[in-house]
Amino acid sequence: MALVSIGFHKVVDLCGRRESWRLRMKLIRVWKMSAVATPDDPFVMHMLFVDQEGLCIEVVIQKHFMHRFSDSVMEREVYNLTNFSVTRNSGKFRATHHDYKLTFNANTNIVPCPSVAIHHTGLSLVKTSDIMKTKGSSQYLIDFMGIVTGIFEELNLSKEGRQTRLMLIDMVDKM
């Protein structure tokens, strides 16, 4: 298992067989998820981090721990992370292709590291033609850059008694 920056592990080495990991990564995105019926009451927070080698990993923070982390982190800043759980990255929705994701808990430490720069953006841009080939079947987030040519009215949909919102956006790329 390789260590990066003296005493820190690489994201590529993460697995569930070990309990004490030390990571140094840049936070590239934070978002919260809520139910349609309670949009002002998020039940989970997600973070996306990138390491010095450009590999991304998702962090999941359950509702009862969100207050510890939501106001203390900023996107595009570098942090040292310790005391978190490493779990299988499974389910219908995955933010990265990594086999594992991190779960923050009451003991997790996230310490700013302002003197360190990580230059990777974490983006892996996909062409429109490649997105269209998936026909909406991808379970992963997709990085896409384009020009917005149209935004349509948000739709409220119901399926099997569950409400969801859908917004259609027309975009074109030049890839």
Side-chain angles (χ1 to χ4, degrees), residues 9-23 57-60 82-89 98-105 108:
H9 298 95
K10 294 180 179 183
V11 168
V12 71
D13 293 329
L14 286 172
C15 65
R17 296 185 306 270
R18 181 185 170 101
E19 292 191 19
S20 58
W21 296 96
R22 290 175 41 95
L23 298 174
I57 193 157
E58 178 184 6
V59 171
V60 177
T82 57
N83 301 328
F84 48 83
S85 301
V86 178
T87 58
R88 277 267 175 220
N89 188 14
H98 198 289
D99 289 338
Y100 293 92
K101 62 185 172 186
L102 310 181
T103 303
F104 284 6
N105 56 54
T108 299

Side-chain angles (χ1 to χ4, degrees), residues 22-95:
R22 290 175 41 95
L23 298 174
R24 176 171 284 164
M25 299 186 297
K26 179 170 70 173
L27 178 60
I28 55 176
R29 184 77 176 110
V30 177
W31 70 98
K32 296 177 183 176
M33 294 179 65
S34 58
V36 173
T38 57
D40 295 328
D41 188 22
F43 60 86
V44 67
M45 183 164 76
H46 295 266
M47 296 180 178
L48 197 58
F49 282 89
V50 64
D51 72 359
Q52 292 178 348
E53 301 199 351
L55 292 174
C56 294
I57 193 157
E58 178 184 6
V59 171
V60 177
I61 304 167
Q62 297 302 323
K63 182 176 184 170
H64 48 283
F65 297 123
M66 285 181 359
H67 69 279
R68 288 198 61 224
F69 304 102
S70 62
D71 296 330
S72 61
V73 296
M74 290 180 51
E75 292 177 357
R76 296 183 303 279
E77 297 296 325
V78 176
Y79 296 93
N80 294 338
L81 284 67
T82 57
N83 301 328
F84 48 83
S85 301
V86 178
T87 58
R88 277 267 175 220
N89 188 14
S90 60
K92 293 180 182 179
F93 164 75
R94 301 178 196 188

Side-chain angles (χ1 to χ4, degrees), residues 126-174:
V126 179
K127 296 178 185 179
T128 304
S129 59
D130 293 337
I131 295 170
M132 298 310 289
K133 288 176 190 172
T134 69
K135 297 183 178 161
S137 64
S138 178
Q139 60 189 349
Y140 300 100
L141 288 180
I142 297 171
D143 297 324
F144 174 82
M145 187 180 302
I147 300 168
V148 176
T149 58
I151 300 175
F152 300 88
E153 187 174 327
E154 187 175 286
L155 303 171
N156 288 313
L157 304 174
S158 179
K159 184 177 181 180
E160 299 174 4
R162 294 182 65 195
Q163 292 288 320
T164 189
R165 294 181 303 228
L166 173 70
M167 178 179 280
L168 298 176
I169 301 172
D170 275 343
M171 296 180 77
V172 295
D173 70 357
K174 298 294 179 188

